[in-house]
Amino acid sequence: MSERTVRVRFAPSPTGPLHIGGVRTALYNYLFARKHGGKMILRIEDTDQTRFVKGAEEYIMDAFDWCGIDFDESLVKGGDYGPYRQSDRKELYAKYAQQLIDNNKAYYAFDSPEELNELRAKSESEGGVFTYSSANRDDLNNSENIGIDAAKAKIESGEPFVIRFKMPKNQELAMTDIVRGDVLVNTSTLDDKILFKSDGMPTYHMANIVDDHLMEISHVIRGEEWLPSMPLHIMLYKAFEWEAPEFAHLPLLLKPKGNGKLSKRDGDKLGFPVFPTQWVNAEGEKSMGYREEGYFPQAFLNMLALLGWNPGTEQEIFTMDDLIQSFSLERVNKSGARFDPEKAKWFNHQYMLETNNADIAEEYSLILDKKNINYDKELLVKIIGLVKERANFVNDLWEQSYFFFEAPTEYDAKTVKKRWKEHTPAMMQDLLEVIKSIDDFSSANTEKLIKAWIEEKELSMGQVMNAFRLSIVGAGKGPHMFDIIEIIGKQETLNRISKAIDTIKR
Ligand code: GLU
């Protein structure tokens, strides 16, 4: 690693909600910065005004707040290298473009969109692809062809122009990417990219390089889709005679099945979120978010950390501190990482098991309050301890525990058919009498006495317990029966058994 102070950035364009691939990029930047005692910067790249989406910038910041990735420098935090939004830096790019023109590294071009379309169509009809490059720039409408004075006269007369990078001809460019290793490109295969647009705004390439330089970025860690831009970016650093950062291009996130990039549309199509938090577009259409689906932010980040990076061990559950300790760009995989929605749930389940029951109770109580359910706080913590192993999310807890709070109003038909036989009501009546006689209603004591009764009467344990469960829960599920009745209490247990005897019809 170079000796530079580590300064990394996440540089989203506010063109919509943040894809989880973007969150993963931010996470890897964050882990790298924290590991090396460096700084993590959030820079909003909004030079393309045509793609601006209202609310996207706020969305991005809120999503990071939720998942717990904090930035050292940003719009909100401020910092010594601001402004941190490119549209607020608009004025400063022109002088760098001018510097390239003055040093013969860039040129003015006047080709109209119509002219370029015609050239493209012509190349296509001949089976080729048009690129604006060292091979043809001398024949096109630019200052390289007509001369700088003629070009300046055109500009003065108000003719629209762009500034293009003058990609050198036939140079072997050797580059190193931390993830992919050595990459070799001949510059003749690269085109003369536009750096400055006719609307007076820099393009992504220009603004990105100038800002990374001015913000003293040491490592550019970003998605694989930017790998093809690396040669241009390195050539720009050379043209400016600036020290280039090191680059690391992260593998794509792939669809759960089949090949291809996990797209923004996949989530709603396949029923899992691809965004950290819910997004509502201008038409009011909602896209699911991990937050709203009930994921713990730490589980979400833990899951993302392992999509494209491997610790080299079997360990899967990492605290943020563990991740910071273990993370290295050298262990980022080259090949794409398949997203697995079931595994995402598994991670949340693991965090559910790890999380303190009192903390889960805090969240669960919000759901209970909405349902107007009364509960005792201490009992709630106990109930969570009994059922959480059956839940992936706090949102699942109701389904696994409603019977602690209210008597069943209906009985699952399949379970009735299987577990409620002709002789069952009489058997439940006997059980009712046994329960009436029990004073110490602790789980251990009811278990001892009821089991002793079953044995003494030579009844089938399965038949009694299944019908008992159906009466209390309304279905064939739930934790240990004697734990349930300890919590609901003797009177409620008796009521539910009586009600079942009266209402269950085979
Ligand atoms: N604004 C670019 C994006 O939206 C940033 C790419 C980079 O990190 O250089 O992904």
Side-chain angles (χ1 to χ4, degrees):
M1 221 171 88
S2 76
E3 294 307 303
R4 293 171 78 171
T5 308
V6 168
R7 289 179 53 83
V8 293
R9 85 302 193 266
F10 180 62
S13 299
T15 55
L18 196 58
H19 185 278
I20 52 174
V23 182
R24 187 199 56 180
T25 299
L27 174 64
Y28 286 8
N29 273 283
Y30 176 81
L31 297 175
F32 186 76
R34 292 290 169 267
K35 174 152 189 177
H36 297 285
K39 293 278 188 269
M40 164 78 166
I41 292 127
L42 177 66
R43 180 174 75 225
I44 302 291
E45 300 208 325
D46 59 346
T47 53
D48 189 351
Q49 300 287 315
T50 58
R51 295 179 62 219
F52 177 81
V53 172
K54 205 167 157 263
E57 193 177 291
E58 293 74 12
Y59 174 96
I60 290 168
M61 308 222 245
D62 176 54
F64 284 126
D65 272 352
W66 171 68
C67 57
I69 294 182
D70 57 323
F71 294 88
D72 301 299
E73 297 169 26
S74 70
L75 280 173
V76 186
K77 276 271 176 78
D80 295 340
Y81 296 78
Y84 292 94
R85 185 195 283 122
Q86 287 184 329
S87 57
D88 297 335
R89 305 170 64 82
K90 207 166 141 184
E91 273 69 47
L92 67 85
Y93 303 108
K95 86 167 191 235
Y96 292 100
Q98 191 59 47
Q99 187 181 325
L100 292 180
I101 296 257
D102 294 345
N103 294 335
N104 200 22
K105 306 284 187 196
Y107 58 89
Y108 299 111
F110 303 93
D111 321 79
S112 68
E114 295 75 27
E115 283 167 348
L116 291 174
N117 280 343
E118 242 172 67
L119 290 166
R120 266 183 219 116
K122 188 165 175 280
S123 296
E124 258 171 48
S125 71
E126 290 160 2
V129 195
F130 173 77
T131 47
Y132 208 119
S133 69
S134 56
N136 59 5
R137 75 167 78 97
D138 289 347
D139 305 324
L140 296 165
N141 193 359
N142 57 48
S143 53
E144 290 294 297
N145 183 2
I146 64 175
I148 191 74
D149 292 337
K152 282 190 172 150
K154 272 176 182 273
I155 292 169
E156 254 155 53
S157 74
E159 196 168 317
F161 67 94
V162 298
I163 295 176
R164 285 183 183 270
F165 184 60
K166 192 171 162 186
M167 184 60 78
K169 205 174 185 157
N170 201 20
Q171 279 183 17
E172 290 299 333
L173 178 62
M175 300 161 286
T176 304
D177 180 271
I178 300 173
V179 176
R180 288 165 189 275
D182 294 338
V183 184
L184 193 68
V185 166
N186 186 297
T187 54
S188 290
T189 62
L190 304 170
D191 60 342
D192 289 356
K193 280 271 184 295
I194 297 179
L195 301 178
F196 223 76
K197 296 176 285 184
S198 50
D199 64 2
M201 285 290 264
T203 57
Y204 153 73
H205 300 294
M206 178 76 187
N208 188 271
I209 273 24
V210 168
D211 286 348
D212 280 351
H213 170 70
L214 295 177
M215 294 182 178
E216 295 181 23
I217 298 303
S218 61
H219 295 77
V220 168
I221 305 167
R222 62 183 174 192
E224 186 182 289
E225 63 273 28
W226 300 104
L227 186 62
S229 300
M230 182 163 77
L232 168 66
H233 292 183
I234 288 186
M235 289 306 291
L236 274 166
Y237 282 103
K238 285 187 194 291
F240 281 117
E241 297 179 14
W242 290 338
E243 183 187 358
E246 291 190 50
F247 287 88
H249 287 91
L250 309 176
L252 294 176
L253 289 191
L254 305 176
K255 292 180 198 299
K257 283 202 191 97
N259 277 326
K261 200 174 148 181
L262 183 66
S263 84
K264 294 193 172 186
R265 282 165 302 279
D266 285 335
D268 289 317
K269 231 168 45 201
L270 303 171
F272 58 82
V274 276
F275 301 124
T277 60
Q278 178 179 277
W279 168 255
V280 187
N281 71 9
E283 286 76 45
E285 287 159 355
K286 285 185 185 154
S287 301
M288 292 192 240
Y290 281 83
R291 174 170 63 192
E292 290 70 16
E293 289 302 300
Y295 278 83
F296 295 112
Q298 308 88 317
F300 169 64
L301 290 185
N302 191 156
M303 177 263 308
L304 279 183
L306 288 162
L307 279 175
W309 166 77
N310 75 84
T313 64
E314 294 296 303
Q315 186 179 350
E316 289 191 285
I317 302 299
F318 290 84
T319 64
M320 192 53 112
D321 283 344
D322 287 343
L323 282 177
I324 293 170
Q325 286 308 314
S326 323
F327 185 77
S328 76
L329 288 172
E330 284 71 22
R331 296 210 73 95
V332 169
N333 308 332
K334 283 194 191 54
S335 52
R338 201 172 294 287
F339 176 76
D340 178 354
E342 290 312 311
K343 189 79 190 200
K345 289 183 195 158
W346 178 87
F347 273 106
N348 213 63
H349 182 66
Q350 300 308 311
Y351 275 78
M352 189 89 172
L353 298 183
E354 288 294 308
T355 305
N356 193 307
N357 295 341
D359 291 341
I360 299 180
E362 292 279 318
E363 272 191 57
Y364 189 30
S365 60
L366 303 178
I367 297 177
L368 296 177
D369 291 345
K370 267 201 206 135
K371 293 184 186 288
N372 284 322
I373 301 283
N374 291 322
Y375 54 86
D376 174 275
K377 272 207 163 156
E378 250 173 64
L379 274 189
L380 187 62
V381 175
K382 214 165 162 188
I383 291 170
I384 288 169
L386 293 178
V387 301
K388 72 172 182 181
E389 142 197 336
R390 295 175 167 77
N392 290 332
F393 301 98
V394 174
N395 293 340
D396 295 343
L397 288 173
W398 175 250
E399 202 36 49
Q400 298 301 333
S401 67
Y402 60 86
F403 41 85
F404 285 104
F405 309 101
E406 54 187 29
T409 48
E410 48 190 45
Y411 301 90
D412 176 61
K414 264 197 198 149
T415 318
V416 169
K417 199 158 178 248
K418 214 162 138 199
R419 308 293 190 198
W420 202 265
K421 306 288 177 196
E422 205 109 346
H423 66 275
T424 308
M427 190 174 78
M428 288 293 105
Q429 194 61 48
D430 291 346
L431 175 63
L432 200 68
E433 296 309 319
V434 174
I435 291 177
K436 268 187 198 163
S437 70
I438 303 178
D439 288 329
D440 168 6
F441 219 64
S442 66
S443 173
N445 195 48
T446 53
E447 176 164 8
K448 190 176 89 197
L449 297 181
I450 292 174
K451 283 190 173 165
W453 165 72
I454 294 172
E455 269 166 37
E456 187 199 316
K457 299 284 175 210
E458 293 184 356
L459 300 169
S460 143
M461 185 71 77
Q463 279 181 10
V464 175
M465 291 311 293
N466 286 323
F468 186 23
R469 183 175 291 281
L470 181 63
S471 313
I472 301 296
V473 172
K477 65 179 176 192
H480 192 53
M481 268 315 291
F482 302 99
D483 289 344
I484 304 180
I485 61 167
E486 177 184 316
I487 289 182
I488 65 173
K490 180 169 168 178
Q491 193 51 51
E492 179 66 13
T493 304
L494 295 172
N495 293 349
R496 290 192 193 182
I497 296 173
S498 304
K499 188 176 164 200
I501 295 171
D502 292 346
T503 46
I504 298 180
K505 299 273 170 295
R506 294 192 60 239

Coordinates of all heavy atoms in Angstrom, one line a residue, residues 9 11-13 45 204 208 212 220-222 225-226 233, ligand 1:
R9 N -13.7 7.7 -0.7 CA -15.0 8.4 -0.8 C -16.0 7.4 -1.4 O -15.7 6.5 -2.1 CB -14.8 9.6 -1.7 CG -14.9 9.5 -3.2 CD -13.9 8.5 -3.8 NE -13.7 8.6 -5.2 CZ -14.4 7.8 -6.1 NH1 -15.2 6.9 -5.7 NH2 -14.2 8.0 -7.4
A11 N -19.2 8.0 -3.8 CA -19.6 9.2 -4.6 C -20.9 8.9 -5.5 O -20.8 8.8 -6.7 CB -18.4 9.5 -5.6
P12 N -22.0 8.8 -4.8 CA -23.2 8.4 -5.5 C -23.8 9.6 -6.4 O -23.5 10.7 -6.0 CB -24.2 8.1 -4.4 CG -23.8 8.9 -3.3 CD -22.3 9.0 -3.4
S13 N -24.5 9.2 -7.4 CA -25.2 10.2 -8.2 C -26.6 10.1 -7.7 O -27.2 9.0 -7.6 CB -25.1 9.9 -9.7 OG -23.8 9.9 -10.1
E45 N -22.4 13.3 -6.6 CA -22.0 13.6 -8.0 C -23.3 13.9 -8.9 O -23.9 13.0 -9.4 CB -21.2 12.4 -8.5 CG -20.0 12.2 -7.7 CD -18.8 11.5 -8.5 OE1 -19.1 10.7 -9.4 OE2 -17.7 11.9 -8.2
Y204 N -19.0 13.4 -15.8 CA -18.6 12.6 -14.6 C -17.1 12.4 -14.6 O -16.4 12.6 -13.5 CB -19.3 11.2 -14.7 CG -18.5 10.1 -14.0 CD1 -18.5 10.1 -12.7 CD2 -17.8 9.2 -14.8 CE1 -17.7 9.1 -12.0 CE2 -17.1 8.2 -14.2 CZ -17.0 8.2 -12.8 OH -16.3 7.2 -12.1
N208 N -15.0 13.9 -11.5 CA -14.6 12.9 -10.6 C -13.1 12.9 -10.3 O -12.6 12.8 -9.2 CB -15.0 11.5 -11.2 CG -14.8 10.3 -10.4 OD1 -13.7 9.8 -10.4 ND2 -15.8 10.0 -9.6
D212 N -11.4 14.0 -6.9 CA -10.6 13.0 -6.1 C -9.2 13.6 -5.9 O -8.7 13.4 -4.8 CB -10.5 11.7 -6.9 CG -11.7 10.8 -6.8 OD1 -12.6 11.2 -5.9 OD2 -11.9 9.8 -7.5
V220 N -9.5 4.6 -4.7 CA -10.8 4.7 -5.3 C -11.4 3.2 -5.3 O -10.8 2.4 -5.9 CB -10.7 5.2 -6.7 CG1 -12.0 5.0 -7.5 CG2 -10.4 6.7 -6.7
I221 N -12.4 3.0 -4.4 CA -13.0 1.7 -4.3 C -14.4 1.8 -4.8 O -15.2 2.6 -4.2 CB -13.0 1.3 -2.8 CG1 -11.5 1.3 -2.2 CG2 -13.6 -0.1 -2.7 CD1 -11.5 1.2 -0.7
R222 N -14.7 1.2 -5.9 CA -16.0 1.4 -6.6 C -16.4 0.1 -7.3 O -15.6 -0.8 -7.5 CB -15.9 2.6 -7.5 CG -14.9 2.5 -8.6 CD -14.8 3.7 -9.4 NE -13.8 3.6 -10.4 CZ -13.3 4.6 -11.1 NH1 -13.8 5.8 -11.0 NH2 -12.3 4.4 -12.0
E225 N -18.5 -1.8 -12.7 CA -19.0 -1.1 -13.9 C -18.1 0.1 -14.3 O -18.2 0.6 -15.4 CB -20.5 -0.7 -13.8 CG -20.8 0.3 -12.7 CD -21.1 -0.3 -11.3 OE1 -20.5 -1.4 -11.1 OE2 -21.8 0.3 -10.5
W226 N -17.2 0.5 -13.4 CA -16.4 1.7 -13.6 C -15.0 1.2 -14.1 O -14.1 2.1 -14.4 CB -16.2 2.6 -12.4 CG -17.6 3.1 -12.1 CD1 -18.4 2.7 -11.0 CD2 -18.3 4.1 -12.8 NE1 -19.6 3.4 -11.0 CE2 -19.6 4.3 -12.1 CE3 -18.1 4.9 -13.9 CZ2 -20.5 5.2 -12.5 CZ3 -19.0 5.8 -14.3 CH2 -20.2 5.9 -13.6
H233 N -9.2 7.5 -16.6 CA -8.9 8.2 -15.4 C -7.4 8.3 -15.1 O -6.9 9.4 -14.8 CB -9.7 7.6 -14.2 CG -11.2 7.8 -14.3 ND1 -12.1 7.3 -13.4 CD2 -11.9 8.3 -15.3 CE1 -13.3 7.6 -13.8 NE2 -13.2 8.2 -15.0
Ligands
GLU1 N1 -21.0 8.9 -9.4 C1 -20.5 7.6 -9.8 C2 -21.6 6.6 -9.4 O1 -22.7 7.0 -9.4 C3 -19.2 7.3 -9.0 C4 -18.3 6.4 -9.6 C5 -17.0 6.4 -8.8 O2 -16.9 6.0 -7.7 O3 -16.0 6.9 -9.4 O4 -21.4 5.4 -9.2

